Amino acid sequence: MVAEIAGTNKNCMPGYRQMLDFFLPLALISISQSLTYPLVAMVATRGPEGAFNIAALAQGSSFASLIFAITTGMITAGMVFVRTIEGYRRYTELNFFFTVAVVTLHLFCCIPMVGHLIFGTLMGLPPRLESLTYTAFVLVIPMSLIFNWRNPYMVILFNEKQTARAYIATLARISLTILFSFIFANIGLVGLYWAAFCLATPIIAELFVLRHYARPYISRLPSRKEKLISLKDMMFFSLSFSIGSVLISFSGYLIGAFAARAPMPETMLPVYYAALGLASPVCFGAARIQALVIAFAQERGRNTRLMIFTCASGAILGLIPLLFLLPYLNGWYYVSLQKLPPEHLVHIKRTALFLLLVPLTVALRAYAEGWAAFYRKPVSVISGQGVYLGAVVVVAFFTLQNGFAGNIIGPIGLTIGNICAMISILLALNIETRGDFPAPKSTTAYAGE
């Protein structure tokens, strides 16, 4: 029943404290994970190639993340389908196939000819940086493997609403990354190889902590002798959400292309990306609203408390980057750390203010995606993400033609794109479910519809 998938009593509406206890660790996981790459930068940059190592690690990891995006829908699929021991086994089966597919694709891209096509021909990197980026891309293969191994344990903890324990595992990973980075930088173990080691090894610790916490809940999963959902259907469901992640990532490249053609790109592009560097982590946290909806959705229609919590959390997350506009703090972060000229702070302030609504609109889009997952309507998500990409392109083109600065094009495009995606998904859900989200016929881990 729906109360089963939500994990709550159908006669008891979830309270804001319950939602906060579930959501806050998830948001912290997403926000804190973005700290790992800056931490290992101190190891990479002290190598023989200096700053080239940082660029290479960033480029190699970014392309690896694009491959890994194939599996981003697996957490959502697990939260919907892993409710019994049979559903868990079917899920681990699919996770194994996805792991093999991702690693195989990664290895294929490591073939020298293919690697040169990607990094040299398509990305246009100069020979020296191309070689380093290729090396970094090869070195992060273990990360793709270990990231996928975590999925079943994270799903179990999320479904049991033990997100605080999942955050403890992530905190252990970040702590080890900090420890390794400082030790290696001080004893001379520096360069790309040791930077990759500092990134990958702590993930193994995170994996074992997650496994330790999840095992008791796995052993208590009930068994039901019903028809399991097929691997094909579960794969389609997962890929529906993965495609959305790829489209959203691709929109970032499109915005950059439009902004580069706007007035003063040499000034506005660094300003935009510097401000986005603070907004992106909180947006990742806001996207966790999707998991919140799946976990706390109620049997009868939409839970108004979920919408209120979504709006409140998105608004609060949007305020966090504004803290770095405070006197002294803005100079320390943007001028001292990001190396922007002091006269660019006025553009930074304007960009940060335009980015204020982006986390809120990300939360609203994630809210709609959560309902689509809850009612097993993945096509609604694909259509919504298509609308998102189209809206971003249209808005970026319109603002460029009307003389908007490059640092403003991105925030406006992201805000409107998210709103359009949310509206599109909710409208599609209303059409598909013929009304105000009536309860589906089956919400167990089996294909009963």
Side-chain angles (χ1 to χ4, degrees):
M1 304 306 293
V2 177
E4 284 181 56
I5 194 171
T8 59
N9 189 316
K10 65 181 180 180
N11 298 318
C12 180
M13 300 286 279
Y16 294 117
R17 177 59 185 270
Q18 289 176 278
M19 296 184 202
L20 183 62
D21 289 344
F22 180 88
F23 175 74
L24 185 58
L26 284 184
L28 289 174
I29 288 172
S30 298
I31 294 171
S32 56
Q33 281 179 344
S34 62
L35 298 174
T36 55
Y37 286 97
L39 286 171
V40 301
M42 68 176 72
V43 177
T45 192
R46 284 170 169 78
E49 301 294 338
F52 275 94
N53 283 337
I54 300 177
L57 190 63
Q59 296 278 10
S61 300
S62 295
F63 193 77
S65 298
L66 189 61
I67 297 174
F68 181 75
I70 298 171
T71 68
T72 53
M74 283 297 291
I75 297 295
T76 303
M79 292 193 68
V80 173
F81 296 110
V82 178
R83 297 293 164 176
T84 65
I85 190 64
E86 291 85 4
Y88 175 77
R89 289 168 182 161
R90 178 56 53 89
Y91 177 81
T92 54
E93 226 181 312
L94 180 61
N95 192 62
F96 173 77
F97 288 138
F98 266 125
T99 302
V100 172
V102 167
V103 173
T104 301
L105 182 57
H106 200 140
L107 288 170
F108 173 76
C109 294
C110 289
I111 298 173
M113 288 180 58
V114 180
H116 174 67
L117 176 66
I118 295 169
F119 301 114
T121 305
L122 296 180
M123 296 182 67
L125 299 178
R128 183 183 178 191
L129 185 55
E130 177 193 342
S131 176
L132 290 171
T133 302
Y134 174 81
T135 301
F137 181 69
V138 173
L139 291 174
V140 297
I141 290 177
M143 291 178 59
S144 298
L145 186 66
I146 305 167
F147 272 136
N148 277 289
W149 284 348
R150 303 177 312 166
N151 286 340
Y153 307 125
M154 295 190 79
V155 162
I156 291 295
L157 292 177
F158 290 0
N159 282 345
E160 296 293 335
K161 298 184 175 64
Q162 297 297 320
T163 54
R165 293 190 171 188
Y167 178 63
I168 291 173
T170 300
L171 197 59
R173 169 190 165 194
I174 294 171
S175 300
L176 280 178
T177 304
I178 295 172
L179 181 64
F180 287 171
S181 298
F182 278 99
I183 291 177
F184 286 21
N186 283 291
I187 65 175
L189 297 178
V190 294
L192 276 180
Y193 289 91
W194 291 110
F197 180 88
C198 290
L199 278 175
T201 306
I203 307 174
I204 299 175
E206 181 185 27
L207 171 67
F208 279 101
V209 175
L210 288 169
R211 182 174 179 269
H212 169 74
Y213 283 136
R215 285 182 69 182
Y217 299 108
I218 296 172
S219 64
R220 294 200 293 266
L221 284 172
S223 175
R224 295 194 186 99
K225 302 301 179 183
E226 299 180 53
K227 182 183 177 182
L228 276 171
I229 185 171
S230 67
L231 275 177
K232 178 182 175 182
D233 289 341
M234 191 184 290
M235 181 182 296
F236 174 76
F237 186 93
S238 174
L239 286 174
S240 300
F241 288 86
S242 298
I243 290 171
S245 298
V246 174
L247 289 177
I248 290 173
S249 298
F250 184 60
S251 69
Y253 292 100
L254 291 177
I255 288 174
F258 280 101
R261 290 163 173 79
M264 298 191 300
E266 66 283 351
T267 297
M268 296 308 177
L269 274 177
V271 163
Y272 170 63
Y273 284 115
L276 190 66
L278 290 175
S280 291
V282 296
C283 286
F284 292 146
R288 293 295 194 168
I289 287 292
Q290 181 192 114
L292 179 81
V293 172
I294 298 172
F296 287 97
Q298 292 291 303
E299 181 173 354
R300 297 185 180 278
R302 286 166 288 183
N303 186 333
T304 52
R305 288 186 182 178
L306 277 175
M307 174 56 86
I308 294 172
F309 185 89
T310 296
C311 293
S313 58
I316 292 171
L317 286 171
L319 293 173
I320 293 176
L322 297 187
L323 295 175
F324 289 83
L325 297 182
L326 295 174
Y328 302 110
L329 196 57
N330 60 1
W332 169 76
Y333 179 76
Y334 288 111
V335 178
S336 299
L337 291 185
Q338 298 294 334
K339 304 301 181 183
L340 291 176
E343 58 270 20
H344 288 181
L345 287 177
V346 62
H347 301 304
I348 284 285
K349 181 179 180 180
R350 186 177 297 113
T351 308
L353 290 174
F354 270 91
L355 286 168
L356 174 64
L357 294 178
V358 175
L360 173 59
T361 57
V362 168
L364 291 172
R365 189 197 74 230
Y367 171 85
E369 291 172 351
W371 280 109
F374 181 75
Y375 285 103
R376 300 186 184 183
K377 303 295 181 181
V379 176
S380 300
V381 176
I382 296 177
S383 63
Q385 302 298 2
V387 168
Y388 170 87
L389 186 61
V392 168
V393 172
V394 170
V395 171
F397 177 79
F398 176 81
T399 51
L400 177 64
Q401 294 301 311
N402 284 273
F404 282 66
N407 63 318
I408 304 302
I409 291 175
I412 295 176
L414 293 174
T415 300
I416 296 178
N418 284 319
I419 293 173
C420 290
M422 177 199 69
I423 294 172
S424 172
I425 294 170
L426 293 180
L427 285 176
L429 277 177
N430 271 294
I431 294 171
E432 288 193 77
T433 55
R434 298 183 181 88
D436 188 24
F437 302 169
K441 295 177 181 178
S442 173
T443 54
T444 66
Y446 305 92
E449 287 92 355

